[in-house]
Amino acid sequence: MKIIVIDGQGGKMGKGVVEQLKKAHPELELIAVGTNSIATSAMLKAGADAGATGENPVVVNSRDADIIIGPIGIVIANSLLGEITPAMAVAVGSSPAQKILIPSSRCHQFVAGCRELPLGSYIREVVERVDELLSQSR
């Protein structure tokens, strides 16, 4: 199963996701794709098995991913303060992968029906959803 975690800015969200997924499922191969080198580095330090930075790695890895995890901005062109290019948003949005998107109001987005939670709560929900997807694939 190919799981990619995409994050930008300082990589705090992606770092937390990688840490918690590795804690719950150390056997999973997680690929960190940062929109910048700081985000990639943070996710690699958290335990990602491989990492790459920039637009092309998002495009290439989204093609055959089974699960894509990241802030909701990864499907919105020019979000994350401009770090998500239109090509990145299209690649993620067009991917056949299951997408687990974490809401964030920091990127000028509001998702109706989502309650404002601490990042740790969202990350727990991500791990729970990955658990469900893994059990369905067995």
Side-chain angles (χ1 to χ4, degrees):
M1 180 164 286
K2 183 175 181 180
I3 301 175
I4 63 173
V5 180
I6 302 173
D7 201 5
Q9 313 263 293
K12 181 179 177 184
M13 189 178 288
K15 177 184 178 210
V17 168
V18 169
E19 284 174 343
Q20 293 306 310
L21 280 176
K22 277 298 188 176
K23 185 177 178 183
H25 300 283
E27 76 285 358
L28 285 180
E29 183 176 359
L30 300 177
I31 300 170
V33 181
T35 61
N36 61 64
S37 59
I38 294 169
T40 304
S41 178
M43 292 186 284
L44 285 168
K45 287 178 185 175
D49 298 289
T53 303
E55 180 179 87
N56 201 52
V58 170
V59 171
V60 170
N61 285 286
S62 293
R63 289 180 191 148
D64 62 349
D66 296 298
I67 300 173
I68 298 173
I69 303 168
I72 195 167
I74 64 175
V75 294
I76 301 171
N78 303 314
S79 64
L80 300 182
L81 298 176
E83 290 185 18
I84 301 297
T85 67
M88 291 169 149
V90 168
V92 173
S94 300
S95 173
Q98 277 283 326
K99 292 150 199 90
I100 303 174
L101 303 173
I102 302 167
S104 172
S105 59
R106 292 180 55 207
C107 299
H108 306 291
Q109 298 137 19
F110 172 78
V111 181
C114 287
R115 55 197 192 283
E116 193 76 24
L117 297 174
L119 180 57
S121 296
Y122 287 131
I123 291 171
R124 275 190 294 284
E125 288 185 25
V126 168
V127 173
E128 289 170 8
R129 181 65 181 145
V130 170
D131 289 344
E132 291 171 16
L133 293 172
L134 290 173
S135 68
Q136 291 172 7
S137 71
R138 291 182 183 145

